[in-house]
Amino acid sequence: MIIKLLSIQIPQYWEIIKFAATKAEEVDNEDLPVYLNWFLHLLLSDKTQCWVRLDEDRTIIALLITQITIDKITTKKSLHLRCIFSFRHVPFDLWREDFDLLIQFGKQEKCDNITSASKHEKIWEIMSYLGCRETYRLFVYDLE
């Protein structure tokens, strides 16, 4: 079962959210304080949404953060999947159930599409399985 946490529930689950977000987004240690303050602000102000998958014992086994964004050029509204993290194996059919709920949420919020970005090949596999297509890859050259 997947549920959306209310912003008032974020402090109660903050340690779990913080762990999952920093692992999924691979935040460098020196950037952690600023990242976590910014991220907590987004969650508490309802600018992002936190979804959790619970097992039959109501233990969190997966976590997903979504954010509604608007493209500055096309003005298209997207439901962006920011952070996808599982604490243990979640079969593809359960990700499908979760994605179906996110599709409903995106439509309810009048989004034009659902987007996601990740460095992790397992997330690429899940997104492909769910019917998403790759639109571009980001390359970085460090100047230091």
Side-chain angles (χ1 to χ4, degrees), residues 19-34:
F19 176 83
T22 57
K23 293 295 182 193
E25 295 194 349
E26 294 184 8
V27 180
D28 293 330
N29 283 337
E30 65 267 12
D31 299 326
L32 272 178
V34 172

Side-chain angles (χ1 to χ4, degrees), residues 3-43:
I3 61 169
K4 183 173 138 253
L5 296 179
L6 301 173
S7 58
I8 60 171
Q9 294 174 295
I10 298 302
Q12 178 183 353
Y13 294 99
W14 177 238
E15 290 302 315
I16 294 168
I17 295 166
K18 181 170 64 170
F19 176 83
T22 57
K23 293 295 182 193
E25 295 194 349
E26 294 184 8
V27 180
D28 293 330
N29 283 337
E30 65 267 12
D31 299 326
L32 272 178
V34 172
Y35 169 81
L36 291 173
N37 282 335
W38 169 79
F39 198 57
L40 181 59
H41 170 73
L42 290 176
L43 288 163

Side-chain angles (χ1 to χ4, degrees), residues 81 84 99 116 122-132:
L81 311 183
I84 302 169
F99 196 67
S116 183
K122 187 64 176 176
I123 301 301
W124 301 348
E125 288 176 31
I126 292 169
M127 299 310 290
S128 292
Y129 171 79
L130 296 173
C132 298

Side-chain angles (χ1 to χ4, degrees), residues 14 16 27 37 55 74 79 88 93 102-103 116 131:
W14 177 238
I16 294 168
V27 180
N37 282 335
D55 66 9
T74 66
L79 179 62
R88 63 179 195 228
D93 60 327
L102 293 172
I103 289 171
S116 183

